[in-house]
Amino acid sequence: MQASGMWVEKYRPQTLSDVVNQKDVIGSIDALIKDPTDMPHLLFSGSAGVGKTTSALCIARQILGEYFRDYTLELNASDERGIGMVREKVKKFSMFAGMVDVPFKIIILDEADEMTSDAQTALRRIIEDTAKYCRFIMIANNISKIIDPIQSRCATFKFTSIPREDIIEHLKKIADKEKIKSEKKGLEMIYDHTEGDLRHAINLMQATASLGEITEETVKSTAGLSKTGDVDGVLSLALAGKIIDAREKMTELIKVYGMSESDFLKYLNSAVFKLKPENMSEILQIIAKYDYRVLIGANSEIQLSAMLAELYSQN
């Protein structure tokens, strides 16, 4: 396979009409930006990898044209969540300066739901003060974390999960363009693993393609899926009180075979339903608790070890 950069960027849509699926949302947005001066602030919500950021960049490109880079500010709000970012970057960029042949500047705030409430309150004032020459496109996975005053100032669009067949068809097109042999079962395995996240699917496909071709086995190997059955053994060992053995097996899956912590917990959850222990509800609640702790940034090795110990304590 020839080196060709990141496929997720190489094949990122440049216009709204190229965005995969999302026809209803794209149709509404297209109508809104026909006369850009009437475009309101926008708020995009939906799960990861369904086209929110790509659509925002397409809008900026279509409205600003050749001045896209000069008059677009793209920030990931999860990197700098506080009021300082709003004051230093957003306010400075949004201040009026002689603009050439563009209707307004565009500020794209990705993962805006990660901003603190103080930062969102400060942002609300900037949105009001700069409405004549600035438009905001806010992007959030969880819209409930965006304060009501900001929500009320935006036209909200909900991006839905991309259907299985659309993702598989899109992956096949990329594989054909890259002259990579792909089997349908391999592409289906990519979809099943990435659960509707097209960005993750394309990245996984590129990683798999480095092995030569995209088959069920190469996808399993790349994604660490060839060892999913071993997670059942980790659960059985933990419930039997063999914590050291369970931890060693878990560590091997994660560090040697490349299974992510979140995937390990997902497969552990599935293993509970296979085993059907009497105290199933308590075990599922324990797994959910530690999944949340890992998700919010706690040390995964410590948390997963503690989880194995707590699973044994349920017996």
Side-chain angles (χ1 to χ4, degrees):
M1 183 183 70
Q2 296 180 342
S4 56
M6 289 180 65
W7 292 357
V8 75
E9 293 301 332
K10 184 177 179 181
Y11 295 103
R12 185 190 284 272
Q14 300 297 300
T15 63
L16 285 170
S17 58
D18 294 331
V19 174
V20 179
N21 197 257
Q22 311 299 351
K23 292 181 178 62
D24 292 341
V25 169
I26 298 304
S28 300
I29 293 171
D30 255 333
L32 267 183
I33 66 174
K34 273 185 179 170
D35 181 0
T37 54
D38 290 338
M39 184 183 116
H41 304 295
L42 303 175
L43 174 57
F44 295 165
S45 70
S47 56
V50 295
K52 303 185 299 296
T53 305
T54 291
S55 297
L57 291 169
C58 288
I59 291 168
R61 251 187 229 100
Q62 286 178 222
I63 290 176
L64 302 178
E66 63 183 298
Y67 302 109
F68 163 67
R69 299 203 178 279
D70 296 327
Y71 293 106
T72 302
L73 175 66
E74 185 186 1
L75 292 172
N76 191 313
S78 67
D79 293 337
E80 300 173 82
R81 304 169 59 236
I83 200 165
M85 179 272 287
V86 174
R87 287 177 176 156
E88 291 164 25
K89 294 188 176 177
V90 176
K91 190 172 184 179
K92 186 176 179 183
F93 181 84
S94 65
M95 289 178 4
F96 181 78
M99 294 186 294
V100 297
D101 209 24
V102 293
F104 42 71
K105 298 177 179 180
I106 293 177
I107 297 175
I108 299 170
L109 283 177
D110 211 342
E111 299 191 45
D113 49 329
E114 294 294 328
M115 293 173 68
T116 63
S117 56
D118 284 347
Q120 290 189 44
T121 302
L123 180 65
R124 165 198 174 180
R125 183 63 186 268
I126 294 171
I127 290 173
E128 289 173 350
D129 292 346
T130 62
K132 286 185 180 177
Y133 47 86
C134 209
R135 291 294 183 278
F136 284 80
I137 304 178
M138 319 273 287
I139 298 167
N141 289 342
N142 186 352
I143 197 171
S144 65
K145 291 185 180 178
I146 302 293
I147 61 172
D148 289 340
I150 287 182
Q151 288 193 43
S152 68
R153 286 165 173 77
C154 299
T156 303
F157 292 93
K158 168 75 174 171
F159 283 66
T160 56
S161 294
I162 304 171
R164 177 190 180 96
E165 55 273 17
D166 287 351
I167 287 187
I168 291 171
E169 182 185 347
H170 191 68
L171 294 177
K172 182 74 169 73
K173 285 179 184 174
I174 293 174
D176 290 345
K177 286 177 182 174
E178 293 292 328
K179 297 182 171 55
I180 299 296
K181 186 179 176 184
S182 63
E183 294 180 0
K184 189 174 183 186
K185 283 192 174 180
L187 298 177
E188 288 172 345
M189 178 67 68
I190 290 174
Y191 173 84
D192 291 341
H193 179 65
T194 55
E195 299 179 327
D197 182 336
L198 183 55
R199 176 175 56 240
H200 188 187
I202 294 171
N203 283 332
L204 176 56
M205 184 171 75
Q206 184 171 12
T208 305
S210 65
L211 300 178
E213 58 185 79
I214 297 158
T215 66
E216 199 170 355
E217 289 309 310
T218 55
V219 173
K220 280 184 177 181
S221 177
T222 305
L225 295 173
S226 56
K227 292 286 180 179
T228 53
D230 291 8
V231 178
D232 300 11
V234 174
L235 177 63
S236 297
L237 287 168
L239 293 175
K242 298 178 180 176
I243 306 301
I244 293 174
D245 291 341
R247 186 180 180 280
E248 284 179 358
K249 192 71 179 170
M250 177 186 73
T251 303
E252 181 187 28
L253 289 172
I254 292 169
K255 295 194 172 176
V256 178
Y257 292 99
M259 186 180 289
S260 70
E261 288 86 353
S262 60
D263 280 342
F264 172 79
L265 287 163
K266 182 170 72 176
Y267 300 132
L268 192 69
N269 186 68
S270 299
V272 175
F273 286 95
K274 287 184 203 169
L275 191 63
K276 296 185 177 70
E278 287 183 12
N279 53 345
M280 183 188 283
S281 61
E282 290 86 351
I283 290 172
L284 292 174
Q285 286 179 48
I286 290 169
I287 294 171
K289 176 173 69 176
Y290 286 97
D291 180 52
Y292 177 72
R293 288 182 181 179
V294 170
L295 185 67
I296 63 173
N299 182 290
S300 57
E301 191 169 346
I302 293 172
Q303 293 300 320
L304 293 180
S305 296
M307 178 192 67
L308 295 176
E310 193 171 339
L311 286 173
Y312 171 57
S313 72
Q314 287 302 302
N315 286 341

